[in-house]
Amino acid sequence: MSVPKLHHYVPQSYLARFGRGDMVRVRRRCPPKTHLANVKNVAAETGFYTITDENGMPSTTIEHELSGLEGQALEALRRIDQTGMPPAAGTDDRELLCLYLAVQMARTPRKRTGPLFGRNVTLYADGREVDLALMAKYLTRKHLGHPPREAEAQGAFDYYHGTRAMNGGNDPTHDEAVAVTFSSVWVCIPQYRARHWRLETSSKPIFLTSDTPLVLWRPETPRDAYEGFGLENADEVRFPVSPTAQLVLVPSHGTSAEEVRLSRVNSCNQDLADSCEQVVVGHPDRHAALDKVHLRRRGPTLRFNSGPGFRKKPDGTLEPMGDILHMYTTRR
């Protein structure tokens, strides 16, 4: 059995659906340029899933298991192409794609940001004491790119020392970070299963994808400035499946298909670009859709906040809980 060194956090077979053969056009956040790339070099990191086995040896078991799932899911996506409909509730293809989507959400680098935050701070400290002042410098220079609010520095400081205290004074390891991210898969599957699956199609092949292809969406709200949202309270869960179609999972039950306006496609492409890690992906010969999206220098970021918390009592009144830590990831 070959030992893969470059591990993909978005399947090559999926990315190839948006290109010509194995070639796609990629637009990056930084440096802001567009170039042609083979899918084997997109959304991949060396040793991303390598863990240590019971004998203390490097193991690529996870990468091989993911490859098996990717092959099965590719066939399910092709059946969507053929039928023009999402798989019905209760079918093998629906269950398979629920697993595929849950795994895709869990397998990106962004999902490791929380578990590996402490390790990155410790590396930055390089032996110095991690006090509030150093944490503020780390957030400014490495994590946020701008000075944090006092409550954010306090929240990050509390999270850093709290996780180390629960881990015997150590930072979580790479293996622990991998385990934590994949532990969410089975918890999330019922959320995908319970939604209405809608296939949105376009008369023009201009749907894009990215290195973070699963997009959670809800209307913008002032709350975005201080809190995030997840699978449970997202109005839509979007997943582009080809240049002409995307799956959209919404609250309710059943399946449907509809052709949408180009304005809807363009809006979804921009939301996808906002939420990508580093790159947006499109067809080598169709530049317009890629050129149209705006890419900020930095993408969604793990944020912290520390402040007074309140618990609702049975009679509807609120009682103080003391200061609590809130963590969330920005939508863009």
Side-chain angles (χ1 to χ4, degrees), residues 95-117:
E95 289 301 301
L96 174 64
L97 289 177
C98 283
L99 174 60
Y100 183 73
L101 295 179
V103 168
Q104 182 56 62
M105 179 66 80
R107 68 189 293 186
T108 61
R110 185 174 301 150
K111 285 298 182 179
R112 296 191 189 175
T113 304
L116 294 180
F117 179 82

Side-chain angles (χ1 to χ4, degrees), residues 77-147:
L77 294 179
R78 287 172 176 164
R79 284 188 282 274
I80 292 176
D81 298 338
Q82 295 163 3
T83 63
M85 285 292 292
T91 62
D92 290 344
D93 276 359
R94 173 75 76 96
E95 289 301 301
L96 174 64
L97 289 177
C98 283
L99 174 60
Y100 183 73
L101 295 179
V103 168
Q104 182 56 62
M105 179 66 80
R107 68 189 293 186
T108 61
R110 185 174 301 150
K111 285 298 182 179
R112 296 191 189 175
T113 304
L116 294 180
F117 179 82
R119 188 180 71 169
N120 293 334
V121 173
T122 299
L123 289 172
Y124 175 78
D126 194 24
R128 293 173 292 173
E129 178 187 358
V130 179
D131 55 16
L132 264 175
L134 187 139
M135 181 60 73
K137 288 181 180 178
Y138 173 77
L139 294 175
T140 301
R141 298 176 181 177
K142 296 293 183 179
H143 189 72
L144 297 177
H146 58 80

Side-chain angles (χ1 to χ4, degrees), residues 192-252:
Y192 297 102
R193 184 186 292 136
R195 288 178 172 250
H196 177 106
W197 287 39
R198 181 172 72 229
L199 185 69
E200 295 186 349
T201 58
S202 168
S203 60
K204 291 187 177 181
I206 58 173
F207 275 114
L208 304 174
T209 191
S210 78
D211 55 3
T212 315
L214 206 62
V215 177
L216 304 184
W217 180 89
R218 75 175 182 189
E220 293 195 27
T221 166
R223 291 179 296 163
D224 291 342
Y226 58 86
E227 72 176 19
F229 63 97
L231 191 56
E232 288 190 11
N233 54 353
D235 284 24
E236 297 181 358
V237 180
R238 303 174 185 160
F239 184 66
V241 296
S242 75
T244 58
Q246 71 172 354
L247 283 171
V248 181
L249 281 57
V250 297
S252 189

Side-chain angles (χ1 to χ4, degrees), residues 60-90:
T60 56
T61 299
I62 293 176
E63 173 71 0
H64 285 294
E65 290 181 351
L66 290 174
S67 295
L69 172 62
E70 292 161 9
Q72 296 176 61
L74 180 62
E75 293 302 315
L77 294 179
R78 287 172 176 164
R79 284 188 282 274
I80 292 176
D81 298 338
Q82 295 163 3
T83 63
M85 285 292 292

